[in-house]
């Protein structure tokens, strides 16, 4: 009897190529677990990438994201900005083009903790990719937005899975990780809302002028900022500046400045264990009592109580040395 068999002409697939999105998501969670031993933001060998973990549901609270991409692997977050609700969960990712203060709640539990990857945006990498995309004629007209929530597609899911596999290897992570981050940027910039994100990052027109003013506020929040001067530098009248600023951030320039100061004060109190009076002076408040009132109004607790809660509950690593924005997640 001839036991010869017809050769299988089906090309061999890489281990992850046959996985569907739900299978990939389960594998992502397995790979993210050892990278996130603590609640809060866990550092990685890549300075612009952190892994977030939360073992409990979190009630709606104010946040301030740096420009970046948040990919949730398990659990769910909802962001609230003005009348808009932004869902980011295992089926949706969030892209932030300019830092805007909004509020957020989290669904998580000890049995199914929230696990997410936060990629702080490297503008040089994004700009290089956008230039190449433009050279290939893929530019589309779109209205810029400060936040976008977009469904996760298969190509992005595969890139994220490969990234997490590499991040679990001490040898591969620093060498191959940056290339996979670049691919993830590419998938986001060419995804369903890629044209919106690209329009936001090119920062043309009024959106670009407001984005520049926001960057100035983040750099100089501890100083006496003249909002009229910011308007003049943007080439806009104070009335026009206020209107466009609120359209993009859902808040006024003065309130944005206060929010930035309060977020920064909360962070430095949690990290450095300084007093509320010291923190208020460092972020530009002249009146400690006014600082305490506005802090409690925003966070629902007094400065000392909130700083203690953050130290006890979450890992709060130092900011990246390359950070140009105040970030409080």
């Amino acid at each position: 009897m001839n036991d010869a068999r017809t050769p299988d002409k089906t090309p061999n697939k890489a281990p992850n190529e046959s996985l569907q999105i739900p299978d990939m998501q389960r594998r992502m969670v397995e790979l993210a677990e050892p990278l996130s031993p603590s609640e809060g933001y866990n550092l990685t060998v890549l300075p612009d990438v952190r892994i977030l973990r939360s073992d409990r549901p979190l009630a709606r609270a104010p946040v301030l994201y740096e420009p970046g991409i948040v990919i949730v692997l398990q659990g769910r977050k909802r962001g609230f900005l003005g009348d808009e609700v932004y869902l980011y969960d295992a089926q949706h990712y969030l892209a932030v083009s300019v830092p805007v203060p909004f509020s957020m709640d989290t669904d998580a539990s000890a049995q199914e903790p929230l696990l997410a990857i936060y990629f702080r945006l490297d503008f040089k990498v994004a700009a290089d990719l956008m230039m190449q995309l433009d050279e290939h004629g893929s530019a589309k007209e779109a209205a810029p937005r400060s936040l976008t929530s977009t469904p996760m597609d298969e190509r992005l899911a595969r890139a994220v899975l490969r990234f997490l596999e590499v991040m679990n290897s001490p040898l591969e992570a620093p060498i191959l990780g940056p290339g996979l981050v670049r691919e993830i940027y590419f998938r986001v910039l060419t995804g369903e809302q890629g044209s919106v994100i690209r329009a936001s990052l090119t920062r043309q027109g009024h959106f670009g002028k407001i984005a520049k003013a926001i960057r100035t506020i983040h750099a100089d929040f501890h100083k006496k900022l003249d909002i009229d001067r910011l308007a003049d530098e943007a080439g806009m009248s104070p009335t026009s500046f206020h209107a466009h600023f609120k359209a993009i951030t859902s808040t006024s320039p003065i309130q944005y400045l206060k929010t930035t100061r309060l977020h920064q004060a909360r962070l430095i109190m949690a990290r450095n264990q300084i007093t509320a009076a010291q923190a208020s002076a460092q972020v530009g408040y002249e009146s400690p009592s006014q600082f305490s009132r506005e802090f409690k109004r925003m966070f629902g607790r007094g400065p000392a109580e909130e700083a203690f809660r953050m130290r006890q509950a979450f890992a709060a690593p130092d900011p990246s040395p390359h950070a140009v924005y105040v970030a409080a997640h």
Side-chain angles (χ1 to χ4, degrees):
M1 179 177 178
N2 188 356
D3 196 33
R5 300 185 183 183
T6 303
D8 183 0
K9 296 182 180 180
T10 303
N12 291 329
K13 290 187 175 182
N16 293 330
E17 286 188 4
S18 60
L19 296 179
Q20 300 302 307
I21 288 183
D23 300 315
M24 286 190 279
Q25 288 169 338
R26 283 190 287 271
R27 180 61 180 148
M28 288 179 205
V29 170
E30 293 173 359
L31 291 166
E33 285 276 3
L35 299 173
S36 54
S38 303
E39 281 199 276
Y41 278 86
N42 295 267
L43 302 179
T44 71
V45 296
L46 303 182
D48 290 335
V49 179
R50 296 180 178 186
I51 311 295
L52 170 65
R53 181 188 186 101
S54 179
D55 293 337
R56 70 197 84 177
L58 299 176
R60 187 166 170 174
V63 293
L64 183 61
Y65 279 177
E66 285 184 275
I69 303 161
V70 184
I71 296 178
V72 175
L73 311 173
Q74 180 173 267
R76 181 170 63 177
K77 286 178 171 286
R78 284 176 297 268
F80 305 89
L81 179 65
D83 296 329
E84 298 285 337
V85 179
Y86 297 85
L87 175 68
Y88 44 127
D89 57 9
Q91 287 77 46
H92 302 80
Y93 59 90
L94 185 77
V96 182
S97 55
V98 295
V100 290
F102 63 103
S103 59
M104 175 198 72
D105 64 20
T106 300
D107 291 343
S109 67
Q111 293 73 34
E112 291 192 3
L114 179 126
L115 297 169
I117 313 171
Y118 171 70
F119 299 88
R120 188 172 69 87
L121 188 66
D122 185 323
F123 283 94
K124 291 182 180 179
V125 173
D128 180 61
L129 281 169
M130 289 190 292
M131 183 175 67
Q132 292 184 58
L133 289 168
D134 289 345
E135 288 173 355
H136 286 80
S138 63
K140 295 180 181 178
E141 291 293 326
R145 299 186 66 181
S146 52
L147 300 177
T148 52
S149 174
T150 308
M152 172 81 76
D153 62 34
E154 184 175 333
R155 292 182 301 172
L156 177 57
R158 293 193 188 284
V160 173
L161 178 54
R162 289 197 301 274
F163 173 77
L164 286 169
E165 288 173 339
V166 162
M167 294 304 289
N168 274 271
S169 166
L171 175 63
E172 295 178 355
I175 300 171
L176 301 180
L180 288 167
V181 170
R182 182 182 174 89
E183 180 183 350
I184 288 167
Y185 279 28
F186 175 83
R187 298 302 176 193
V188 169
L189 293 172
T190 57
E192 183 176 318
Q193 296 197 74
S195 57
V196 174
I197 298 167
R198 286 155 63 185
S200 305
L201 294 178
T202 55
R203 300 191 167 177
Q204 301 298 313
H206 289 131
F207 191 93
K209 293 175 180 179
I210 298 302
K212 183 179 178 181
I214 286 173
R215 184 166 179 143
T216 298
I217 291 173
H218 279 257
D220 297 334
F221 62 83
H222 55 292
K223 300 178 182 178
K224 287 186 177 180
L225 281 176
D226 186 334
I227 302 301
D228 287 343
R229 179 177 64 82
L230 289 176
D232 185 61
E233 290 176 355
M236 306 165 86
S237 69
T239 301
S240 177
F241 180 74
H242 276 257
H244 286 288
F245 196 102
K246 189 161 188 178
I248 291 169
T249 67
S250 292
T251 191
S252 70
I254 290 294
Q255 187 57 44
Y256 187 100
L257 173 60
K258 286 183 180 180
T259 297
T260 304
R261 286 173 168 173
L262 292 170
H263 275 297
Q264 178 67 4
R266 183 174 70 152
L267 284 171
I268 62 177
M269 282 190 293
R271 288 173 176 147
N272 305 323
Q273 301 193 37
I274 62 175
T275 66
Q278 290 171 317
S280 67
Q282 287 188 28
V283 301
Y285 270 84
E286 295 181 354
S287 168
S289 58
Q290 181 186 359
F291 166 79
S292 294
R293 286 195 304 272
E294 293 183 351
F295 188 101
K296 188 169 185 178
R297 189 179 305 128
M298 182 169 171
F299 295 111
R301 296 181 180 86
E305 182 185 0
E306 176 63 7
F308 178 80
R309 183 192 71 85
M310 288 187 67
R311 285 194 297 270
Q312 294 298 112
F314 300 105
D318 290 336
S320 165
H322 308 295
V324 295
Y325 296 102
V326 172
H329 307 179

